[in-house]
Protein backbone atom coordinates (compact mmCIF):
# COMPACT_ATOMS: atom_id res chain seq x y z
CA UNK A 1 0.00 0.00 0.00
CA UNK A 2 1.56 3.32 -0.98
CA UNK A 3 2.34 5.25 2.19
CA UNK A 4 0.65 8.40 0.95
CA UNK A 5 -2.69 6.58 0.64
CA UNK A 6 -2.72 5.23 4.21
CA UNK A 7 -4.28 8.34 5.87
CA UNK A 8 -7.05 8.52 3.27
CA UNK A 9 -7.77 4.79 3.64
CA UNK A 10 -7.92 5.20 7.42
CA UNK A 11 -10.51 7.98 7.16
CA UNK A 12 -12.53 6.12 4.51
CA UNK A 13 -12.50 3.02 6.70
CA UNK A 14 -13.73 5.00 9.68
CA UNK A 15 -16.55 6.64 7.75
CA UNK A 16 -18.20 3.26 7.10
CA UNK A 17 -19.15 2.90 10.76
CA UNK A 18 -22.55 4.60 10.32
CA UNK A 19 -23.44 2.51 7.29
CA UNK A 20 -22.56 -0.68 9.15
CA UNK A 21 -24.72 0.44 12.09
CA UNK A 22 -27.76 0.84 9.86
CA UNK A 23 -27.13 -2.41 7.97
CA UNK A 24 -26.55 -4.47 11.12
CA UNK A 25 -29.81 -3.22 12.65
CA UNK A 26 -31.69 -5.22 10.01
CA UNK A 27 -30.43 -8.49 11.47
CA UNK A 28 -29.79 -7.77 15.15
CA UNK A 29 -30.74 -5.37 17.90
CA UNK A 30 -28.07 -2.65 17.98
CA UNK A 31 -26.79 -3.11 21.52
CA UNK A 32 -26.85 -6.88 21.16
CA UNK A 33 -24.78 -6.58 18.00
CA UNK A 34 -22.31 -4.28 19.76
CA UNK A 35 -21.97 -6.78 22.62
CA UNK A 36 -21.01 -9.44 20.08
CA UNK A 37 -18.61 -7.04 18.38
CA UNK A 38 -16.88 -6.12 21.63
CA UNK A 39 -16.61 -9.77 22.69
CA UNK A 40 -14.86 -10.78 19.49
CA UNK A 41 -12.73 -7.63 19.55
CA UNK A 42 -11.53 -8.40 23.08
CA UNK A 43 -10.50 -11.94 22.11
CA UNK A 44 -8.69 -10.73 19.00
CA UNK A 45 -6.96 -7.89 20.82
CA UNK A 46 -5.77 -10.23 23.56
CA UNK A 47 -4.34 -12.56 20.93
CA UNK A 48 -2.79 -9.60 19.12
CA UNK A 49 -1.23 -8.33 22.35
CA UNK A 50 0.21 -11.75 23.18
CA UNK A 51 1.64 -12.26 19.71
CA UNK A 52 3.11 -8.76 19.46
CA UNK A 53 4.49 -8.65 23.00
CA UNK A 54 2.39 -5.72 24.14
CA UNK A 55 2.96 -4.38 27.64
CA UNK A 56 -0.04 -4.41 29.98
CA UNK A 57 -0.67 -1.75 32.63
CA UNK A 58 0.96 -2.77 35.90
CA UNK A 59 -1.26 -0.94 38.36
CA UNK A 60 -4.94 -1.38 39.15
CA UNK A 61 -5.37 2.38 38.74
CA UNK A 62 -4.04 2.35 35.18
CA UNK A 63 -6.25 -0.62 34.32
CA UNK A 64 -9.24 1.15 35.83
CA UNK A 65 -8.59 4.30 33.80
CA UNK A 66 -8.44 2.27 30.58
CA UNK A 67 -11.68 0.46 31.41
CA UNK A 68 -13.51 3.65 32.40
CA UNK A 69 -12.38 5.42 29.24
CA UNK A 70 -13.72 2.50 27.22
CA UNK A 71 -17.10 2.79 28.93
CA UNK A 72 -17.48 6.33 27.61
CA UNK A 73 -15.50 6.19 24.36
CA UNK A 74 -16.99 2.94 23.07
CA UNK A 75 -19.77 1.66 25.31
CA UNK A 76 -21.90 4.76 25.84
CA UNK A 77 -20.87 6.55 22.64
CA UNK A 78 -21.36 3.73 20.15
CA UNK A 79 -24.28 2.37 22.14
CA UNK A 80 -26.11 5.70 21.86
CA UNK A 81 -25.30 6.18 18.18
CA UNK A 82 -26.20 2.63 17.13
CA UNK A 83 -29.41 2.63 19.21
CA UNK A 84 -30.44 5.97 17.69
CA UNK A 85 -29.83 4.70 14.17
CA UNK A 86 -31.82 1.58 15.01
CA UNK A 87 -34.67 3.84 16.14
CA UNK A 88 -34.78 5.69 12.83
CA UNK A 89 -32.12 8.40 12.88
CA UNK A 90 -30.67 8.37 9.33
CA UNK A 91 -27.04 7.29 9.13
CA UNK A 92 -26.24 10.51 7.25
CA UNK A 93 -27.74 12.70 9.98
CA UNK A 94 -25.97 10.69 12.69
CA UNK A 95 -22.68 11.13 10.86
CA UNK A 96 -23.23 14.88 10.68
CA UNK A 97 -24.10 15.00 14.39
CA UNK A 98 -20.71 13.39 15.01
CA UNK A 99 -19.30 16.81 14.18
CA UNK A 100 -20.57 17.88 17.60
CA UNK A 101 -17.81 15.97 19.37
CA UNK A 102 -14.82 18.17 18.56
CA UNK A 103 -17.03 21.22 19.11
CA UNK A 104 -18.22 19.93 22.49
CA UNK A 105 -14.65 19.12 23.46
CA UNK A 106 -13.47 22.63 22.58
CA UNK A 107 -16.46 24.18 24.34
CA UNK A 108 -15.85 22.47 27.71
CA UNK A 109 -12.04 22.33 27.58
CA UNK A 110 -11.60 25.82 29.14
CA UNK A 111 -13.44 24.66 32.28
CA UNK A 112 -12.19 21.08 32.53
CA UNK A 113 -8.57 21.21 31.39
CA UNK A 114 -7.83 24.94 31.22
CA UNK A 115 -7.49 25.29 27.44
CA UNK A 116 -8.41 28.82 26.34
CA UNK A 117 -10.25 29.53 23.10
CA UNK A 118 -9.14 32.15 20.63
CA UNK A 119 -11.62 34.33 18.77
CA UNK A 120 -11.56 32.20 15.63
CA UNK A 121 -12.19 29.10 17.73
CA UNK A 122 -15.26 30.69 19.28
CA UNK A 123 -16.46 31.56 15.77
CA UNK A 124 -15.82 27.95 14.77
CA UNK A 125 -17.98 26.72 17.66
CA UNK A 126 -20.86 28.94 16.59
CA UNK A 127 -20.56 27.91 12.94
CA UNK A 128 -20.30 24.24 13.85
CA UNK A 129 -23.40 24.14 16.01
CA UNK A 130 -25.37 26.25 13.51
CA UNK A 131 -24.35 23.97 10.65
CA UNK A 132 -25.47 20.84 12.48
CA UNK A 133 -28.74 22.51 13.49
CA UNK A 134 -29.37 23.44 9.85
CA UNK A 135 -28.69 19.88 8.71
CA UNK A 136 -30.90 18.23 11.34
CA UNK A 137 -33.80 20.69 11.78
CA UNK A 138 -35.75 19.97 8.56
CA UNK A 139 -36.12 16.27 9.41
CA UNK A 140 -36.67 16.81 13.12
CA UNK A 141 -39.39 19.42 12.49
CA UNK A 142 -40.73 17.61 9.39
CA UNK A 143 -40.22 20.80 7.36
CA UNK A 144 -39.42 18.69 4.32
CA UNK A 145 -42.72 16.97 3.48
CA UNK A 146 -40.93 14.30 1.46
CA UNK A 147 -38.69 13.33 4.36
CA UNK A 148 -39.44 10.96 7.21
CA UNK A 149 -39.46 12.96 10.44
CA UNK A 150 -37.06 12.06 13.23
CA UNK A 151 -38.44 11.61 16.72
CA UNK A 152 -36.81 13.76 19.37
CA UNK A 153 -35.78 10.95 21.77
CA UNK A 154 -33.48 9.02 19.36
CA UNK A 155 -31.98 12.30 18.21
CA UNK A 156 -31.37 13.36 21.81
CA UNK A 157 -29.76 9.98 22.58
CA UNK A 158 -27.49 10.43 19.55
CA UNK A 159 -26.40 13.82 20.90
CA UNK A 160 -25.87 12.30 24.37
CA UNK A 161 -23.54 9.83 22.69
CA UNK A 162 -21.46 12.77 21.51
CA UNK A 163 -21.43 14.10 25.08
CA UNK A 164 -20.22 10.70 26.31
CA UNK A 165 -17.35 10.54 23.84
CA UNK A 166 -16.47 14.15 24.65
CA UNK A 167 -16.14 13.32 28.34
CA UNK A 168 -14.25 10.13 27.49
CA UNK A 169 -11.90 12.11 25.29
CA UNK A 170 -11.06 14.55 28.08
CA UNK A 171 -10.81 11.69 30.58
CA UNK A 172 -8.36 9.86 28.35
CA UNK A 173 -6.36 13.02 27.76
CA UNK A 174 -5.97 13.45 31.51
CA UNK A 175 -5.39 9.88 32.67
CA UNK A 176 -4.05 7.93 29.67
CA UNK A 177 -1.17 10.05 28.45
CA UNK A 178 1.08 7.00 28.30
CA UNK A 179 0.72 3.25 28.01
CA UNK A 180 0.84 0.57 25.36
CA UNK A 181 -1.60 1.37 22.57
CA UNK A 182 -2.56 -2.28 22.06
CA UNK A 183 -3.28 -3.35 25.62
CA UNK A 184 -5.15 -0.13 26.38
CA UNK A 185 -7.39 -0.75 23.36
CA UNK A 186 -8.16 -4.27 24.65
CA UNK A 187 -9.07 -2.95 28.10
CA UNK A 188 -11.24 -0.23 26.60
CA UNK A 189 -13.33 -2.86 24.84
CA UNK A 190 -13.69 -4.67 28.16
CA UNK A 191 -15.15 -1.47 29.59
CA UNK A 192 -17.45 -1.11 26.61
CA UNK A 193 -18.72 -4.68 27.04
CA UNK A 194 -19.35 -4.17 30.76
CA UNK A 195 -21.79 -1.35 30.11
CA UNK A 196 -23.32 -2.67 26.87
CA UNK A 197 -24.51 -6.05 28.16
CA UNK A 198 -26.74 -4.58 30.94
CA UNK A 199 -28.15 -1.99 28.53
CA UNK A 200 -28.95 -4.67 25.96
CA UNK A 201 -30.68 -6.80 28.61
CA UNK A 202 -32.76 -3.84 29.76
CA UNK A 203 -33.67 -2.27 26.41
CA UNK A 204 -33.72 -5.07 23.83
CA UNK A 205 -35.05 -8.53 23.12
CA UNK A 206 -31.51 -9.71 22.22
CA UNK A 207 -32.68 -10.34 18.66
CA UNK A 208 -30.05 -11.90 16.42
CA UNK A 209 -30.80 -13.38 13.00
CA UNK A 210 -27.75 -15.43 12.09
CA UNK A 211 -27.10 -15.35 8.36
CA UNK A 212 -24.29 -14.49 5.98
CA UNK A 213 -25.25 -10.82 5.99
CA UNK A 214 -24.99 -10.56 9.78
CA UNK A 215 -21.67 -12.42 9.79
CA UNK A 216 -20.35 -10.05 7.12
CA UNK A 217 -21.43 -6.99 9.12
CA UNK A 218 -19.89 -8.41 12.28
CA UNK A 219 -16.67 -9.32 10.49
CA UNK A 220 -16.36 -5.82 9.04
CA UNK A 221 -17.09 -4.21 12.42
CA UNK A 222 -14.49 -6.31 14.22
CA UNK A 223 -11.82 -6.82 11.56
CA UNK A 224 -12.34 -3.73 9.44
CA UNK A 225 -13.14 -1.12 12.08
CA UNK A 226 -11.85 -2.40 15.42
CA UNK A 227 -8.76 -4.29 14.18
CA UNK A 228 -8.19 -2.60 10.82
CA UNK A 229 -8.14 0.85 12.37
CA UNK A 230 -5.52 -0.06 14.94
CA UNK A 231 -3.30 -1.67 12.29
CA UNK A 232 -3.48 1.39 10.07
CA UNK A 233 -2.96 3.76 12.98
CA UNK A 234 0.13 1.86 14.12
CA UNK A 235 1.38 2.06 10.53
CA UNK A 236 0.74 5.82 10.46
CA UNK A 237 2.51 6.34 13.78
CA UNK A 238 5.56 4.44 12.59
CA UNK A 239 5.72 6.47 9.38
CA UNK A 240 5.00 9.77 11.10
CA UNK A 241 1.78 10.44 9.20
CA UNK A 242 -0.76 10.86 12.01
CA UNK A 243 -1.19 14.56 11.24
CA UNK A 244 -2.09 13.78 7.62
CA UNK A 245 -4.91 11.52 8.76
CA UNK A 246 -6.08 14.19 11.18
CA UNK A 247 -6.29 16.72 8.38
CA UNK A 248 -8.71 14.43 6.53
CA UNK A 249 -10.99 13.75 9.51
CA UNK A 250 -13.18 16.66 8.41
CA UNK A 251 -14.24 14.54 5.43
CA UNK A 252 -15.85 11.83 7.58
CA UNK A 253 -19.36 13.38 7.96
CA UNK A 254 -19.81 14.04 4.21
CA UNK A 255 -18.34 10.62 3.42
CA UNK A 256 -20.78 8.94 5.81
CA UNK A 257 -23.68 10.88 4.26
CA UNK A 258 -22.59 9.90 0.76
CA UNK A 259 -22.27 6.24 1.69
CA UNK A 260 -25.72 6.27 3.30
CA UNK A 261 -27.17 7.77 0.13
CA UNK A 262 -25.38 5.21 -2.04
CA UNK A 263 -26.24 2.07 -0.07
CA UNK A 264 -29.57 2.96 1.55
CA UNK A 265 -30.98 5.66 -0.69
CA UNK A 266 -31.00 8.27 2.07
CA UNK A 267 -31.75 11.68 0.60
CA UNK A 268 -28.99 14.27 0.51
CA UNK A 269 -30.99 17.45 0.95
CA UNK A 270 -29.65 20.95 0.46
CA UNK A 271 -29.95 21.76 4.19
CA UNK A 272 -27.85 18.67 4.95
CA UNK A 273 -25.22 19.57 2.36
CA UNK A 274 -25.00 23.24 3.34
CA UNK A 275 -25.14 22.42 7.04
CA UNK A 276 -22.33 19.89 6.68
CA UNK A 277 -20.12 22.42 4.87
CA UNK A 278 -20.76 25.00 7.60
CA UNK A 279 -20.12 22.45 10.37
CA UNK A 280 -16.88 21.21 8.79
CA UNK A 281 -15.71 24.81 8.46
CA UNK A 282 -16.54 25.38 12.11
CA UNK A 283 -14.60 22.30 13.21
CA UNK A 284 -11.62 23.42 11.12
CA UNK A 285 -11.60 26.88 12.71
CA UNK A 286 -12.03 25.40 16.17
CA UNK A 287 -8.95 23.20 15.73
CA UNK A 288 -6.68 25.69 13.96
CA UNK A 289 -5.05 26.96 17.12
CA UNK A 290 -4.18 23.42 18.19
CA UNK A 291 -2.58 22.83 14.81
CA UNK A 292 -0.24 25.75 15.25
CA UNK A 293 -0.04 26.25 19.00
CA UNK A 294 2.73 27.98 20.88
CA UNK A 295 4.36 24.71 21.89
CA UNK A 296 4.67 23.59 18.31
CA UNK A 297 2.67 20.47 18.98
CA UNK A 298 -0.10 19.49 16.63
CA UNK A 299 -3.40 18.16 17.84
CA UNK A 300 -6.78 17.11 16.59
CA UNK A 301 -9.64 17.37 19.05
CA UNK A 302 -12.16 15.83 16.70
CA UNK A 303 -14.02 12.61 16.51
CA UNK A 304 -15.90 11.54 13.44
CA UNK A 305 -18.08 8.51 13.71
CA UNK A 306 -16.01 7.28 16.85
CA UNK A 307 -12.66 8.62 15.96
CA UNK A 308 -11.74 10.06 19.31
CA UNK A 309 -9.68 13.11 19.80
CA UNK A 310 -6.45 11.49 20.86
CA UNK A 311 -5.86 10.06 17.37
CA UNK A 312 -3.64 12.97 16.48
CA UNK A 313 -3.21 14.70 19.80
CA UNK A 314 0.26 16.17 20.16
CA UNK A 315 1.26 14.74 16.80
CA UNK A 316 4.91 15.52 17.00
CA UNK A 317 5.20 13.82 20.37
CA UNK A 318 3.41 10.76 19.03
CA UNK A 319 5.51 10.59 15.90
CA UNK A 320 8.70 10.73 17.97
CA UNK A 321 7.51 8.01 20.34
CA UNK A 322 8.49 4.36 19.82
CA UNK A 323 5.72 2.14 18.53
CA UNK A 324 3.41 0.92 21.27
CA UNK A 325 4.02 3.54 23.97
CA UNK A 326 1.24 6.00 23.27
CA UNK A 327 -2.21 5.34 24.75
CA UNK A 328 -5.31 5.97 22.63
CA UNK A 329 -8.62 4.40 21.72
CA UNK A 330 -10.07 2.93 18.54
CA UNK A 331 -13.41 2.44 16.80
Amino acid sequence: MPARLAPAIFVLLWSTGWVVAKYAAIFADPLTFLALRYSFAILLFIGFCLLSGARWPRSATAIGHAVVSGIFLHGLYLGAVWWAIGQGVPAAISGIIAGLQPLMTAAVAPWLIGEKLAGQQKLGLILGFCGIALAVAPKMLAIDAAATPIHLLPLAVNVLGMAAVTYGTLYQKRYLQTGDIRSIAALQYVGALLVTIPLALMLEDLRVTWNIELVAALAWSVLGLSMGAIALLLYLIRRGQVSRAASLIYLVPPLAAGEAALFFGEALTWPMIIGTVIAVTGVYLTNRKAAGGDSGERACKGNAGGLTSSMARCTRRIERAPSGVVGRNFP
Side-chain angles (χ1 to χ4, degrees):
M1 172 178 55
R4 64 180 180 274
L5 294 180
I9 294 174
F10 179 86
V11 172
L12 181 62
L13 187 72
W14 192 270
S15 70
T16 64
W18 287 271
V19 175
V20 173
K22 182 160 186 171
Y23 184 72
I26 301 172
F27 310 104
D29 288 334
L31 298 176
T32 303
F33 182 92
L34 284 175
L36 291 172
R37 170 180 170 176
Y38 298 149
S39 299
F40 284 112
I42 290 169
L43 294 175
L44 289 175
F45 265 113
I46 290 175
F48 177 59
C49 289
L50 293 176
L51 290 174
S52 60
R55 295 189 297 274
W56 293 86
R58 296 183 178 180
S59 68
T61 300
I63 293 173
H65 285 321
V67 171
V68 170
S69 68
I71 289 175
F72 287 95
L73 292 169
H74 297 310
L76 296 180
Y77 160 58
L78 286 180
V81 170
W82 281 56
W83 184 87
I85 291 176
Q87 295 297 311
V89 174
I93 291 292
S94 183
I96 294 170
I97 293 174
L100 279 172
Q101 194 276 334
L103 301 173
M104 285 181 173
T105 303
V108 301
W111 290 275
L112 295 184
I113 57 178
E115 290 185 358
K116 296 182 179 180
L117 298 180
Q120 69 177 19
Q121 291 179 295
K122 295 177 182 178
L123 174 61
L125 285 175
I126 295 172
L127 287 176
F129 283 110
C130 288
I132 291 170
L134 176 61
V136 173
K139 281 184 172 290
M140 188 176 69
L141 302 176
I143 295 173
D144 183 356
T148 302
I150 304 174
H151 296 295
L152 183 59
L153 178 59
L155 196 67
V157 170
N158 201 142
V159 174
L160 284 176
M162 296 305 105
V165 76
T166 297
Y167 178 80
T169 293
L170 296 172
Y171 185 95
Q172 175 166 288
K173 185 173 183 179
R174 181 173 181 179
Y175 295 110
L176 291 174
Q177 293 278 349
T178 59
D180 194 298
I181 182 176
R182 297 157 293 185
S183 59
I184 286 177
L187 291 171
Q188 285 179 328
Y189 281 116
V190 171
L193 185 63
L194 289 177
V195 73
T196 301
I197 289 178
L199 289 174
L201 290 172
M202 288 188 297
L203 300 175
E204 297 178 344
D205 297 325
L206 307 182
R207 174 182 62 90
V208 178
T209 303
W210 287 102
N211 52 37
I212 188 63
E213 290 85 358
L214 176 71
V215 172
L218 188 59
W220 179 255
S221 292
V222 175
L223 299 176
L225 294 174
S226 297
M227 297 300 294
I230 187 175
L232 263 180
L233 186 54
L234 286 170
Y235 175 81
L236 291 170
I237 290 173
R238 280 195 221 101
R239 298 190 64 89
Q241 293 184 322
V242 177
S243 58
R244 288 186 60 192
S247 68
L248 296 176
I249 288 303
Y250 309 112
L251 297 177
V252 171
L255 278 173
E259 291 161 5
L262 177 64
F263 293 108
F264 297 106
E266 292 187 2
L268 288 176
T269 63
W270 279 111
M272 288 174 57
I273 295 172
I274 296 172
T276 299
V277 172
I278 294 174
V280 167
T281 302
V283 173
Y284 171 74
L285 291 175
T286 301
N287 285 314
R288 277 191 69 184
K289 183 179 179 181
D294 295 337
S295 66
E297 294 179 338
R298 298 183 179 182
C300 176
K301 295 177 183 174
N303 176 303
L307 180 62
T308 53
S309 67
S310 59
M311 190 210 72
R313 176 171 48 85
C314 302
T315 303
R316 291 183 182 176
R317 235 176 77 193
I318 293 170
E319 292 171 349
R320 290 198 302 264
S323 175
V325 299
V326 181
R328 66 185 66 250
N329 54 286
F330 303 94

